Amino acid sequence: MMGLPAGTRVWLAVGRTDMRKGFDGLAAAVQERMAQDPFCGHLFVFRNARGDRLKLLYWDSDGLAIWAKRLERGTFQFPSASSATASVEVTSTDLALILGGIDLASARRRPRTTIRVW
């Protein structure tokens, strides 16, 4: 996958999305379902009903771009969200794990050492 610029936020669209949608349809979904601006430079991820296809929409400084992935076996596991929200924000690391087939619900972060400055 591509490298994300610093400060790029990643939003997962909760629920199913019609994968026939292109640039305009996904941009409208970002505005209507997620209440976000599709031209802000953040990454928006959509999943189909079966969970075996993803589309990522992002603004590439001079135009919208779509990246798509279809699995031959298995599904992409999105984190659950409260029923009131239409999107969930994740880190770019979490997105890499989702694309790699890892369920975030079963993954756990290892403790990190912090260095105190006196």
Side-chain angles (χ1 to χ4, degrees), residues 66-79:
I66 293 178
W67 187 83
K69 183 170 183 175
R70 180 187 72 195
L71 295 176
E72 295 301 319
R73 288 183 23 189
T75 59
F76 295 105
Q77 298 297 314
F78 275 20

Side-chain angles (χ1 to χ4, degrees), residues 13-78:
V14 174
R16 66 180 99 182
T17 301
D18 183 354
M19 289 293 120
R20 295 175 293 182
K21 290 184 177 186
F23 297 100
D24 296 330
L26 293 175
V30 169
Q31 290 175 327
E32 295 167 8
R33 288 175 45 193
M34 304 169 83
Q36 298 281 337
D37 178 15
F39 307 106
C40 66
H42 299 312
L43 191 66
F44 301 96
V45 185
F46 300 90
R47 183 176 64 164
N48 70 338
R50 284 186 291 180
D52 63 344
R53 296 173 192 229
L54 288 182
K55 280 192 177 179
L56 289 74
L57 178 74
Y58 58 98
W59 177 256
D60 187 16
S61 74
D62 61 353
L64 286 171
I66 293 178
W67 187 83
K69 183 170 183 175
R70 180 187 72 195
L71 295 176
E72 295 301 319
R73 288 183 23 189
T75 59
F76 295 105
Q77 298 297 314
F78 275 20

Side-chain angles (χ1 to χ4, degrees), residues 57-112:
L57 178 74
Y58 58 98
W59 177 256
D60 187 16
S61 74
D62 61 353
L64 286 171
I66 293 178
W67 187 83
K69 183 170 183 175
R70 180 187 72 195
L71 295 176
E72 295 301 319
R73 288 183 23 189
T75 59
F76 295 105
Q77 298 297 314
F78 275 20
S80 60
S82 66
S83 60
T85 61
S87 61
V88 175
E89 185 176 6
V90 296
T91 65
S92 58
T93 303
D94 291 339
L95 176 61
L97 293 173
I98 291 169
L99 293 174
I102 296 174
D103 184 1
L104 296 180
S106 63
R108 64 182 175 94
R109 297 195 189 278
R110 301 191 50 85
R112 303 280 181 160

